Amino acid sequence: GEDVEQSLFLSVREGDSSVINCTYTDSSSTYLYWYKQEPGAGLQLLTYIFSNMDMKQDQRLTVLLNKKDKHLSLRIADTQTGDSAIYFCAEASLNSGNTPLVFGKGTRLSVIA
Amino acid sequence: DTGVSQDPRHKITKRGQNVTFRCDPISEHNRLYWYRQTLGQGPEFLTYFQNEAQLEKSRLLSDRFSAERPKGSFSTLEIQRTEQGDSAMYLCASSLGGGVLTEAFFGQGTRLTVV
């Protein structure tokens, strides 16, 4: 079955880069997503990457995909205190039709001022 | 449009009682999803609708759970005979269309506590 794994916690100093890692098992995963959840808020889509890409950059965010190892990472440059949140990796597969997103357990990012 | 709204934001109920939650999606969105999120976990898919049709249900959705979207707009999720294990955040999301590229917008959730 589908499974998405993430490390649970990450702590970084303000101004440093954060790297959040994710592994997935479904080899038919077509799209991989990063969502952000702040306390008391819903999930916010940050970025996504198609499986035929290996990198995508969007302002301070860089997504790297190693399809061979089924490894996805999210790098946040110049991390700010406002980046403190839980970050979820999620995957979706076109082969499964419109199967809704499968989420990891989330990585709690703490930014120390 | 202010996005996906869910009501109530918090619900405390006694075990064995029935509860109903409401989700109002973004107005032009034809797809509506329900997810459940327990503490320390990511969201888990429960069910989704395209317009008023319920197209898929997760095995997590026991026969105590029922969801409706009668006019293809708002949706309700009812839990009958609640159990302590039902305590969770119930998230609703909506999207326009259903392809994997379609961004799903999430509401702030309804936090259910069963005592």
Side-chain angles (χ1 to χ4, degrees), chain A residues 8 30-31 33 35 37 40-45 48 86 88 92-94 96-106, chain B residues 9 31 33 35 37 40-45 47-48 50 56 89 91 98-109:
Chain A
L8 296 182
T30 309
Y31 288 91
Y33 303 80
Y35 279 83
Q37 187 176 39
L43 292 156
Q44 175 196 355
L45 178 65
Y48 64 89
I86 301 176
F88 291 95
S93 168
L94 273 177
S96 303
N98 291 312
T99 302
L101 298 171
V102 177
F103 287 86
K105 293 184 179 181
Chain B
R9 293 287 310 278
R31 286 223 168 178
Y33 307 82
Y35 283 81
Q37 185 178 18
Q41 302 293 318
E44 297 171 295
F45 167 72
T47 187
Y48 84 93
Q50 177 152 313
E56 189 174 339
M89 176 78 85
L91 295 167
V100 290
L101 262 183
T102 305
E103 179 178 355
F105 292 83
F106 281 82
Q108 293 182 297

Side-chain angles (χ1 to χ4, degrees), chain B residues 7-113:
Chain B
D7 182 69
R9 293 287 310 278
H10 304 273
K11 177 72 177 178
I12 300 174
T13 191
K14 290 184 178 179
R15 191 173 48 192
Q17 297 294 305
N18 299 344
V19 293
T20 300
F21 311 139
R22 178 181 169 122
C23 171
D24 286 272
I26 293 172
S27 57
E28 66 269 22
H29 284 186
N30 59 347
R31 286 223 168 178
L32 187 148
Y33 307 82
W34 284 100
Y35 283 81
R36 182 179 71 183
Q37 185 178 18
T38 52
L39 202 61
Q41 302 293 318
E44 297 171 295
F45 167 72
L46 292 178
T47 187
Y48 84 93
F49 293 84
Q50 177 152 313
N51 300 313
E52 65 275 8
Q54 189 172 15
L55 294 188
E56 189 174 339
K57 290 194 280 189
S58 158
R59 66 183 185 280
L60 293 174
L61 215 67
S62 76
D63 56 7
R64 296 184 299 107
F65 288 69
S66 62
E68 293 182 343
R69 195 183 183 198
K71 297 180 181 177
S73 56
F74 73 91
S75 175
T76 57
L77 177 68
E78 182 184 15
I79 309 174
Q80 296 182 325
R81 304 181 303 281
T82 52
E83 301 173 355
Q84 286 188 319
D86 298 331
S87 295
M89 176 78 85
Y90 290 84
L91 295 167
C92 176
S94 71
S95 67
L96 184 61
V100 290
L101 262 183
T102 305
E103 179 178 355
F105 292 83
F106 281 82
Q108 293 182 297
T110 294
R111 182 170 295 283
L112 172 67
T113 303

Side-chain angles (χ1 to χ4, degrees), chain A:
Chain A
E2 303 155 342
D3 199 13
V4 177
E5 298 284 342
Q6 301 177 236
S7 53
L8 296 182
F9 300 99
L10 177 66
S11 181
V12 298
R13 292 197 177 277
E14 189 175 20
D16 288 350
S17 292
S18 308
V19 179
I20 303 171
N21 295 301
C22 169
T23 58
Y24 59 98
T25 58
D26 187 356
S27 58
S28 65
S29 291
T30 309
Y31 288 91
L32 294 130
Y33 303 80
W34 285 104
Y35 279 83
K36 177 182 180 183
Q37 187 176 39
E38 295 178 273
L43 292 156
Q44 175 196 355
L45 178 65
L46 289 178
T47 187
Y48 64 89
I49 188 167
F50 185 49
S51 59
N52 69 350
M53 299 167 64
D54 51 21
M55 187 181 89
K56 182 179 180 182
Q57 187 154 3
D58 183 2
Q59 299 182 338
R60 292 191 298 122
L61 305 179
T62 303
V63 179
L64 295 177
L65 175 62
N66 181 327
K67 194 175 179 183
K68 174 175 169 289
D69 294 339
K70 300 191 185 73
H71 182 266
L72 182 74
S73 68
L74 174 69
R75 179 177 180 269
I76 306 172
D78 187 26
T79 313
Q80 302 298 306
T81 54
D83 295 324
S84 293
I86 301 176
Y87 290 80
F88 291 95
C89 172
E91 62 92 18
S93 168
L94 273 177
N95 291 344
S96 303
N98 291 312
T99 302
L101 298 171
V102 177
F103 287 86
K105 293 184 179 181
T107 299
R108 183 179 295 276
L109 174 64
S110 298
V111 182
I112 305 163

